[in-house]
């Protein structure tokens, strides 16, 4: 039986009345069914009820990318510029969910916005427009960029720390740790890393692009780029999902064992 992987949803307006819907990109569903070898379940942005009622039934958690931005109130940041997209329902769901998942050792993979949520959930802060900061690159891709290979193509390199969790995860693969090409579709980035956030990869301008979580009992990895766009042709992207899936599979096995144990003990 495949491990059950929760995928975070955004609340997005649909149809002529802008009816709020809970949505996630098909890329995330396909990557869970593909290299993760899991069974995807969409997690509505329904607040803390999701971590309270659903987390115990999940074997993994995928925090998705999104054009919307974590509300600054969660990291004592300045208000966003007028027109910056936000998604309070998603924040109210994912931030407690991340804390609960890490505490419970539920394998967690955080991508782009999900990576930023990971940092904020654990006490870190964000820069809201990296491109406006002295000496920093523009990491964004215009929302109206319709040419897929431009929108999701490789945009800059990242340097991966030797001996890091990411370096271990990519063991045996052929790549240059000083310059791993990645795509880039974000305006925001880690400003103050959370106390437990262990940065493991950086863009040439110093932007933190990947991290693991100190002391996390389970798999807990965040990346600022989008491996879900590249896994079918890029071994490094695929490996991230394979290792996440293996962690979820092991978590599922132990969860089933623990569920069987009480009755087995009682039967003795
Ligand atoms: N909004 C945040 C996070 C960026 C992010 O998750 N981008 C993914 C966009 C999805 C897509 O357009 O394919 C930021 O801007 O930093």
């Amino acid at each position: 039986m495949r491990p059950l992987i929760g995928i975070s949803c955004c609340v997005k307006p649909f149809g002529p009345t802008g009816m709020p819907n809970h949505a996630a990109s098909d890329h995330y569903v396909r990557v869970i069914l593909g290299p993760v070898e899991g069974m995807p379940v969409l997690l509505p942005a329904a607040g803390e009820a999701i971590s309270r009622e659903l987390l115990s039934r999940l074997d993994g958690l995928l925090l998705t990318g999104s054009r919307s931005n974590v509300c600054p109130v969660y990291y004592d940041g300045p208000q966003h510029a007028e027109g910056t997209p936000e998604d309070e329902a998603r924040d109210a769901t994912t931030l407690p969910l991340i804390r609960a998942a890490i505490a419970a050792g539920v394998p967690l993979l955080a991508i782009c916005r999900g990576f930023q949520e990971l940092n904020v959930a654990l006490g870190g802060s964000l820069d809201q427009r990296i491109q406006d900061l002295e000496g920093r690159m523009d990491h964004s891709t215009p929302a109206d960029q319709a040419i897929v290979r431009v929108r999701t193509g490789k945009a800059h390199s990242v340097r991966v720390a030797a001996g890091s969790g990411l370096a271990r995860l990519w063991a045996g693969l052929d790549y240059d740790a000083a310059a791993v090409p990645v795509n880039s579709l974000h305006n925001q980035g880690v400003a103050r890393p959370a106390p437990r956030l262990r940065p493991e990869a950086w863009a040439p301008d110093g932007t933190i692009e990947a991290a693991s979580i100190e002391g996390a009992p389970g798999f807990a990895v965040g990346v600022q780029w989008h491996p879900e766009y590249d896994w079918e042709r890029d071994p490094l992207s695929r490996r991230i999902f394979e290792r996440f899936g293996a962690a979820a599979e092991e978590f599922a096995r132990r969860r089933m064992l623990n569920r069987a144990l009480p009755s087995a003990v009682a039967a003795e």
Side-chain angles (χ1 to χ4, degrees), residues 28 64-70 85 111-114 116 127-128 141 143 151-152 185-189 224 226 228-229:
Y28 298 112
T64 60
S66 173
R67 285 279 164 191
S68 69
N69 300 281
V70 180
I111 294 174
C112 206
R113 189 199 209 269
Q116 296 164 2
D127 287 320
Q128 296 180 3
T141 299
R151 217 169 88 81
T152 62
L185 295 100
H186 62 107
N187 297 279
Q188 308 206 351
Q224 186 63 76
H226 291 262
E228 74 276 17
Y229 294 140

